[in-house]
Amino acid sequence: MKEAMMLFGFGMGLVTGALLYKYSQNAKQMVDNSEKKVMKQVEKVADEVKSATKKTKKKAQA
């Protein structure tokens, strides 16, 4: 029963979030801005990994 209630709550949260995103400009703007910030951070980390990989390859070849 506990699992069913947790699943129901999760489903209601998804529905509520989707409705807020669709009908609320403020919520949509907040989600879009957050997504942009997350993508910038992901790109930053990816660039750091690429540079670290290049440095490691150079050290391994030397």
Side-chain angles (χ1 to χ4, degrees), residues 44-61:
K44 181 180 173 183
V45 170
D47 290 341
E48 290 174 1
V49 169
K50 284 181 185 177
S51 66
T53 304
K54 287 179 183 178
K55 288 180 185 178
T56 305
K57 285 182 181 179
K58 286 181 182 178
K59 286 183 181 179
Q61 290 176 352

Side-chain angles (χ1 to χ4, degrees), residues 4-20:
M5 293 303 290
M6 288 175 57
L7 186 59
F8 176 73
F10 182 74
M12 290 302 295
L14 284 174
V15 170
T16 303
L19 289 174
L20 276 173

Side-chain angles (χ1 to χ4, degrees), residues 17-52:
L19 289 174
L20 276 173
Y21 185 79
K22 184 174 181 179
Y23 293 111
S24 174
Q25 286 294 343
N26 291 335
K28 187 173 186 173
Q29 187 177 25
M30 181 182 67
V31 170
D32 291 342
N33 289 339
S34 298
E35 182 181 11
K36 288 177 185 176
K37 288 180 184 178
V38 168
M39 289 306 297
K40 285 182 183 178
Q41 188 67 26
V42 167
E43 289 172 359
K44 181 180 173 183
V45 170
D47 290 341
E48 290 174 1
V49 169
K50 284 181 185 177
S51 66

